Amino acid sequence: MSILEINSLKKVYATRFGANEVIALRNVSFTVEEGEYVAVMGESGSGKTTLLNIMAALDRPTSGSVLLNGEDITKLPDKQLAGFRREHLGFVFQDFNLLDTFTIEDNIYLPLVLAGTEYKVMNERIAPIAEMLSITELLKKYPYEVSGGQKQRAAVARALITNPQLILADEPTGALDSRSSDELLRLFSQVNSAGQTIVMVTHSTAAASRANRVLFIKDGEVYHQIYRGTDTDDQLYSKITQTLTIMMTGGDKR
């Protein structure tokens, strides 16, 4: 069952004074099945960040549609977008986006507080998530008191606590060292194994090789995609590297 459907997505930006147009996305179509773990890769300027922003309802396409469980989020009124994102989407950012004046616990609670959730419900939700992510002992600390890897685990907990239909991750390992990156990716796999759908935008071949499918964007279009199948992480890593080499040398892989 498809949880996310991207149909003929196009995004055109006008330059200053409208003299020229920049086509960020040309004609992007794909689906994401419920419970999938998809990595999106592409060079800087390929359109992958624009795609992520549109999937996150942070930007609107020039044309095309984005259906989340059958609802076209591109048609939602502006006044409904913040609530929709809070209720249906979870976000994990490269720079964590934690508030230093809040404890780790309060940072995780934030989307539920904004939704007016009762404290009893928040407290019931955080306990199993914190245990799964090994941050129970960190909940009363502040972001500046913990490591980058621990901050990112807190960000994952904040994304999970709303029980989102979809988690969108933007370069989640970009600010982490290799050990913390590996731990975060292990946690992503664990969360996905529990049924959570994840779409991750990344430059990292190592990060992408942990996903179940890798989608490549080039010049605003879907260039190629690789399914894991029975491949190991190392085998998928090799296939990703080969595809990226073909992309950079101008080969036609589609």
Side-chain angles (χ1 to χ4, degrees):
M1 175 182 174
S2 295
I3 191 172
L4 181 68
E5 297 180 33
I6 309 295
N7 300 308
S8 304
L9 213 59
K10 183 177 182 180
K11 180 65 178 180
V12 179
Y13 292 101
T15 57
R16 194 176 182 186
F17 307 120
N20 296 296
E21 292 184 339
V22 175
I23 301 176
L25 298 175
R26 297 178 183 273
N27 183 28
V28 174
S29 297
F30 63 92
T31 61
V32 175
E33 301 300 308
E34 186 172 3
E36 260 201 297
Y37 181 2
V38 179
V40 179
M41 300 194 76
E43 298 176 299
S44 296
S46 63
K48 65 183 186 301
T49 299
T50 299
L51 175 62
L52 180 74
N53 287 340
I54 292 175
M55 289 190 294
L58 296 171
D59 197 0
R60 294 187 186 271
T62 304
S63 60
S65 62
V66 178
L67 304 180
L68 183 63
N69 271 343
E71 182 173 13
D72 188 352
I73 66 176
T74 69
K75 305 299 184 186
L76 291 176
D78 289 343
K79 62 182 180 181
Q80 293 183 17
L81 287 177
F84 179 87
R85 285 192 293 267
R86 188 169 58 242
E87 293 172 13
H88 300 280
L89 302 173
F91 299 93
V92 181
F93 303 95
Q94 176 178 339
D95 57 359
F96 320 127
N97 278 18
L98 299 177
L99 300 174
D100 276 339
T101 54
F102 284 15
T103 63
I104 295 296
E105 182 178 52
D106 288 339
N107 269 283
I108 296 169
Y109 280 154
L110 188 56
L112 295 182
V113 171
L114 294 173
T117 307
E118 293 183 0
Y119 178 77
K120 179 182 178 182
V121 175
M122 294 193 294
N123 194 46
E124 289 172 350
R125 286 193 188 180
I126 199 172
I129 294 173
E131 183 178 356
M132 178 179 67
L133 300 178
S134 301
I135 57 171
T136 302
E137 72 283 0
L138 304 177
L139 293 178
K140 301 304 182 183
K141 293 183 179 292
Y142 288 85
Y144 55 81
E145 297 179 306
V146 302
S147 69
Q150 291 169 330
K151 288 179 184 178
Q152 197 60 297
R153 278 187 274 162
V156 173
R158 182 183 56 195
L160 288 172
I161 202 165
T162 59
N163 297 322
Q165 294 174 328
L166 176 66
I167 283 184
L168 297 171
D170 184 12
E171 299 287 358
T173 62
L176 303 178
D177 59 34
S178 58
R179 181 177 178 181
S180 296
S181 294
D182 188 67
E183 175 64 16
L184 177 69
L185 294 171
R186 185 189 66 78
L187 290 171
F188 265 33
S189 295
Q190 182 179 348
V191 168
N192 173 248
S193 295
Q196 178 65 60
T197 309
I198 302 173
V199 176
M200 171 180 65
V201 167
T202 182
H203 281 100
S204 168
T205 303
S209 68
R210 306 291 283 272
N212 296 323
R213 175 161 56 117
V214 185
L215 192 74
F216 299 88
I217 304 293
K218 181 177 181 180
D219 298 330
E221 297 181 279
V222 175
Y223 175 82
H224 184 54
Q225 58 183 330
I226 300 173
Y227 287 85
R228 173 183 294 277
T230 59
D231 286 348
T232 64
D233 290 351
D234 288 343
Q235 289 170 328
L236 187 57
Y237 185 102
S238 178
K239 288 183 178 180
I240 293 169
T241 301
Q242 292 171 14
T243 300
L244 291 173
T245 300
I246 293 170
M247 286 176 66
M248 289 186 291
T249 55
D252 187 5
K253 185 73 176 177
R254 279 181 292 174

